[in-house]
């Protein structure tokens, strides 16, 4: 299945699961070396991370813990924008945290996630993302440790990433081929 259409948008295969698995295997080995004896806590940011988190953690062969969070963004009563992190569900103070993200686009959501985790007095935070769009970044980060694949300004789906809620279950990553580059 090289080409799919979802709600009138056309997508074609961009990164095959076999390639994703190879990249993840290397990331897992590297994390296992770097974090041996540090008992890290992996924190996956839902929903997009679910497949990546599962495959990555199968390649991490050291003692570790994991949890999932959700970032909710809403308008407060004073019209201010509030971002809240839900679901940590464990005491992570003093722990070495590895944030697991599906994709970093502008970096806004990563910025909020890092700020919220820092308030929980963790001892360190590094970031492991499957995809990143460097040309779209609006923040600078000094703790992005692993990027699976750097991509152009594309809209991608599959392997956890959705379009209108669809496609998260696809093992390969697809890119949108319907829109001209400047309208993505
Ligand atoms: P940010 O701009 O804050 O870095 O990205 C926020 C969120 O937008 C990501 O976690 C992801 O859910 C979504 N996103 C960004 N780029 C894409 C993309 O190309 N495809 C899909 N499906 N979601 C994206
Ligand atoms: Mg995300």
């Amino acid at each position: 299945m090289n080409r799919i259409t979802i709600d009138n948008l056309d997508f074609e295969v961009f990164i095959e699961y076999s390639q994703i698995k190879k990249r993840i295997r290397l990331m897992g080995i590297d994390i296992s070396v770097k974090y041996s004896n540090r008992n890290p806590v992996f924190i996956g940011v839902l929903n997009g991370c679910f497949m990546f988190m599962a495959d990555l953690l199968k390649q991490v062969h050291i003692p570790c813990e994991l949890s999932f969070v959700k970032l909710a963004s809403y308008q407060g009563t004073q019209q201010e924008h509030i971002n809240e992190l839900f679901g940590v569900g464990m005491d992570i103070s003093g722990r070495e945290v590895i944030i697991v993200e599906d994709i970093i686009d502008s970096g806004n959501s990563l910025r909020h996630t890092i700020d919220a985790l820092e308030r929980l007095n963790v001892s360190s935070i590094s970031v492991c993302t499957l995809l990143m769009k460097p040309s779209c970044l609006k923040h600078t980060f000094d703790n992005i440790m692993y990027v699976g694949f750097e991509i152009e300004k594309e809209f991608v789906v599959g392997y956890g990433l959705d379009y209108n809620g669809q496609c998260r279950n696809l093992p390969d990553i697809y890119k949108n081929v319907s829109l001209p580059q400047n309208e993505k």
Side-chain angles (χ1 to χ4, degrees):
M1 202 168 58
N2 279 323
R3 224 182 153 98
I4 52 171
T5 302
I6 303 118
D7 294 349
N8 295 322
L9 279 196
D10 295 323
F11 294 86
E12 65 182 31
V13 171
F14 181 40
I15 309 174
E16 286 182 6
Y17 184 47
S18 56
Q19 244 182 300
I20 297 172
K21 270 198 297 200
K22 275 188 202 154
R23 187 73 188 95
I24 289 177
R25 189 151 178 275
L26 295 179
M27 288 194 250
I29 291 169
D30 212 69
I31 291 173
S32 302
V33 171
K34 223 172 247 161
Y35 281 84
S36 64
N37 304 315
R38 291 164 71 180
N39 196 18
V41 184
F42 290 85
I43 302 221
V45 184
L46 291 172
N47 292 329
C49 79
F50 81 100
M51 274 204 191
F52 179 40
M53 184 83 158
D55 281 345
L56 178 68
L57 271 284
K58 280 180 267 186
Q59 302 299 332
V60 170
H61 304 295
I62 53 168
C64 63
E65 292 179 60
L66 69 94
S67 186
F68 290 95
V69 293
K70 255 194 166 175
L71 197 60
S73 152
Y74 55 92
Q75 209 82 50
T77 50
Q78 311 295 316
Q79 292 303 301
E80 78 279 24
H81 206 73
I82 298 176
N83 284 278
E84 209 173 332
L85 198 70
F86 289 97
V88 177
M90 60 187 283
D91 180 9
I92 56 169
S93 62
R95 300 295 298 271
E96 307 226 40
V97 167
I98 301 173
I99 297 174
V100 179
E101 273 280 15
D102 51 356
I103 189 163
I104 301 172
D105 186 302
S106 68
N108 286 340
S109 68
L110 180 61
R111 184 72 269 154
H112 295 305
T113 305
I114 291 174
D115 291 349
L117 290 175
E118 274 173 350
R119 288 195 287 274
L120 300 176
N121 301 315
V122 298
S123 109
S124 73
I125 298 177
S126 54
V127 179
C128 183
T129 186
L130 180 66
L131 300 169
M132 179 155 86
K133 302 179 193 172
S135 64
C136 300
L137 262 185
K138 293 189 192 147
H139 303 264
T140 46
F141 298 99
D142 58 8
N143 53 355
I144 297 181
M145 179 174 52
Y146 302 103
V147 176
F149 303 90
E150 289 193 349
I151 64 172
E152 299 293 311
K153 193 180 170 194
E154 316 272 9
F155 182 71
V156 293
V157 297
Y159 198 70
L161 290 153
D162 77 306
Y163 173 54
N164 288 346
Q166 300 286 316
C167 300
R168 292 194 195 275
N169 57 314
L170 302 175
D172 303 311
I173 294 174
Y174 291 71
K175 75 173 175 186
N176 174 30
V177 289
S178 313
L179 295 172
Q181 199 71 23
N182 59 4
E183 288 177 33
K184 280 176 194 167

